[in-house]
Amino acid sequence: MHSKPKCPVCEKVDLVLTGCSEPQSKPLTVGTFAEIRQNQDCDICRFVIEKLSENPARDAYKDGCPVIFFRWDPPEDYLYGFGPLEGEINCLACDLDHQYLTLADLKLADPNPDWIDLNRVRAWAKSCDSEHAGTCHSLTGWANTPLALAPLLLVDVVSKCLIEIPIERIPDIRYVTLSYVWGQARDILETRRGNEQDLRQKHALASPPYEPRLPNTIRDAIELVYRLDIPYLWVDRLCIVQNDPDRKLPQLEQMGAIYANAYMTLVAVDGRDANHGLRGSCPGIASPRVLGTPMLTFSPSRKTLVVEPDFAPRFGTGEWYRRGWTFQERTLSNRNLVFQQGRVFWECQGAVWTEELAYGPSSEPAARDKERDLGGTSGTLRHYNINLSRWPDLNEYEILVRSYSELLLTFPSDVLHAFTGVINTLSRSFPGGMLYGIPEYFFDYAIIWAPYTPIQRRLVHGMLDPAFPSWSWVGWTGGAINLSISLMMRQRISAGRNIMPWDNIEIYPKVNWHKVDLDTGKKHAIDNSYYETAKMRNDKAASLPDGWSRFPVTRDESTWEGFAHSNIPGYVFPWPLKITEQSSNKTAGSFKPYLSFRTSRAFLFVGARLHHEWEERVWSRAANAVVPRVSMFHLRDNNGNWAGVLESNGAEESLSASHEAWECVVVSGGIAWKDADGEPTSLVEWAQVDLIQSLPKYEFYNVLFIEWEGGIAYRKAVGRVWKEAWEQLDTSDIDVILG
């Protein structure tokens, strides 16, 4: 689109683009929001207003709010922005939280508006083949995810039929996987016991009984894989025998490995169901696409910028981004070809290339502009990537859990199946593995997970299912979940990169956790061994585990201590972590969904709601709408004295209408220190409650609020109780079975 000749707003933008503004480095106010909105006869001004208004999680601009056009600082100086200043979202006039629009000054390609250039797709794949060995493919040792549970049923795209590949042959073949949504499409062909042998016959999928029942997305995928000269396609509807439980369960359990071992995955983001198709992929088979890549040409210089590609949009998306199964599929695939908003882009562990920009490999030799590779400019891509480490990275796991926990499942009982690939992949580096989605090594940390947006108990067929315990995040649904007060578990050491001080919060054990073997009924101690080395943080005389050394870190005038490992160069850690050679060989299903422990109990009253310093609104993919953060409430004892805080599961203004005391049990202890500037940590109550605000050190107990049914306790909420207040309460020791 082009700006209107002599548009006063676009002419100001053009001054910045051509370096004629005074001074050149100063951001330029191009008008108030109302002034830009009034330019209805300028296509660019209308587009800018539309983009600045489209994010429902941001505060709306007021008429008098200034809109600033600015150039980002190096190395992102090829980016420009409309809105508040770079790095800021709060308006200079009203101090509200506004949306901004990012544009990129990159060499543009000229893609066909109807059809994808398959030569360019082949060039992307070829470049990844030659340059990314050991990163995106040809993985060995620890990084490899072998298929070992069952043979693979695949679509032979040449013979148009199903073929079974034995386990020992799988590493020697190339196949593509498909990630898509089923939706409400009817009478879709699927493999069942009754038709499997028919579908194994040559050209069965092209024959009259079956071809008309192939949904467009699967039909287009078969043809696209054939044109890319790859022999096989895996798609769930055809490659899992849907009504054979004995064969279906192993396929679900190795789903992560199926995607991880694929040559690449076709990600069909567009469309509401399987009949949308891979539009623009295959002339003569697929439907043409509608390509709408916004390019803005400003007068009078005729300088053109492109809207920065958003490879994983947060809001205003279709069903694919809301589904639980698709999250795992894209996350575990090392290379994805993504069909989104009419365009296609390549996403791998080494790069992101998109067809509207003339960077990266093409069908003709071209230099790669590594400094402007867009893989890092879309922060949401972080949610579709696993960084597999030899050490237990709780932060990495938390990012994945938070993204997945708010997604939807057609069958709520699939909550673990649809995440099993992620769990199995990361379990390799977590001593003890995962227990119903909770890492055993950091059990004290992860058991006090807290919702960020409202949640409710997960129901299966309208009822609570004991297979999904209340103490794990898998027993809840509807909102994003944070895995506790999670420390930053590592920082990269590099020139020119700031090392941040560790958050001054320490968690320590207060109970001995036990799980119960499903087969024998025998109790087993849960690993929870983080504290064996975490306490070395404060014990200078402690002998460190093999390979670990203390590492002094200096920033500005402050010095603190981290820990480094000889086999993990370039990183510093808050304490020595356990480096494991193999993960637990028992899955969550090997243990009952109950925890056994002895602890201290008390009763507290729920008081008034705390107000966050910033009452943030969050876009929820589950609700497909803006939702508030969950509420936090004061806790008080029998005499009305402040005792702590409760983190609710909802966004209520008040919680306890009955004025009855809530039962809570201690699950761990905690200590927080103020930082070098005397500021409290991120714990909300320490900054707001006068009684503890002046304390240099805040000691507390992490508690679970529980309710009982049939002798089993169930989690209601999580909270913190000031240690000094707890010691004044009427407490008792009890044995708890937590379900």
Side-chain angles (χ1 to χ4, degrees), residues 5-283:
K6 298 190 180 301
C7 170
V9 172
C10 294
E11 285 184 340
K12 290 179 182 178
V13 170
D14 201 58
L15 291 176
V16 177
L17 295 177
T18 56
C20 296
S21 59
E22 294 294 340
Q24 292 184 20
S25 60
K26 183 179 180 181
L28 187 64
T29 299
V30 295
T32 64
F33 187 78
E35 289 170 344
I36 299 175
R37 190 181 57 213
Q38 289 169 1
N39 290 341
Q40 288 296 304
D41 52 350
C42 176
D43 291 342
I44 288 182
C45 287
R46 285 203 311 273
F47 178 80
V48 169
I49 290 296
E50 175 188 333
K51 290 297 179 182
L52 294 182
S53 305
E54 72 178 1
N55 186 346
R58 301 288 191 207
D59 295 310
Y61 283 82
K62 298 180 179 180
D63 284 351
C65 291
V67 176
I68 296 167
F69 186 75
F70 56 90
R71 185 175 187 175
W72 287 38
D73 292 330
E76 288 87 19
D77 54 344
Y78 61 95
L79 294 176
Y80 294 84
F82 280 100
L85 286 174
E86 176 192 358
E88 300 288 342
I89 51 176
N90 283 39
C91 178
L92 297 175
C94 69
D95 200 36
L96 291 178
D97 172 17
H98 295 324
Q99 176 70 359
Y100 57 87
L101 168 65
T102 303
L103 307 175
D105 181 14
L106 294 170
K107 185 179 179 182
L108 304 177
D110 187 20
N112 186 305
D114 299 320
W115 303 106
I116 295 161
D117 182 357
L118 291 188
N119 284 331
R120 196 164 189 204
V121 173
R122 293 186 188 97
W124 291 338
K126 183 178 179 181
S127 178
C128 184
D129 285 344
S130 63
E131 298 183 25
H132 299 163
T135 300
C136 302
H137 60 89
S138 305
L139 305 179
T140 59
W142 188 264
N144 189 34
T145 306
L147 275 160
L149 293 180
L152 272 190
L153 200 60
L154 297 173
V155 176
D156 183 329
V157 301
V158 178
S159 298
K160 302 293 191 294
C161 65
L162 298 182
I163 182 172
E164 187 170 86
I165 307 296
I167 292 176
E168 62 272 13
R169 280 196 55 212
I170 293 173
D172 301 324
I173 67 167
R174 286 200 310 169
Y175 66 92
V176 171
T177 44
L178 177 66
S179 176
Y180 68 112
V181 292
W182 289 12
Q184 301 300 315
R186 298 184 181 276
D187 194 30
I188 286 180
L189 178 64
E190 63 183 23
T191 300
R192 304 179 69 82
R193 286 171 174 168
N195 65 12
E196 180 185 358
Q197 292 307 314
D198 285 349
L199 293 175
R200 288 185 181 223
Q201 304 304 310
K202 281 192 174 183
H203 307 296
L205 294 174
S207 64
Y210 299 119
E211 193 276 337
R213 295 176 58 204
L214 277 178
N216 294 337
T217 300
I218 296 177
R219 178 204 62 194
D220 295 351
I222 292 173
E223 181 65 20
L224 176 57
V225 171
Y226 172 74
R227 295 189 186 190
L228 292 175
D229 300 318
I230 301 171
Y232 303 112
L233 170 70
W234 187 94
V235 54
D236 55 1
R237 278 283 176 120
L238 298 178
C239 300
I240 297 177
V241 183
Q242 299 295 323
N243 63 342
D244 188 341
D246 292 338
R247 295 171 65 191
K248 185 174 183 177
L249 183 58
Q251 297 297 334
L252 293 179
E253 290 179 348
Q254 69 176 6
M255 188 81 75
I258 290 172
Y259 280 88
N261 283 275
Y263 178 76
M264 69 176 171
T265 295
L266 305 177
V267 180
V269 170
D270 290 336
R272 296 183 59 85
D273 58 38
N275 272 323
H276 184 83
L278 301 178
R279 298 183 183 181
S281 61
C282 302

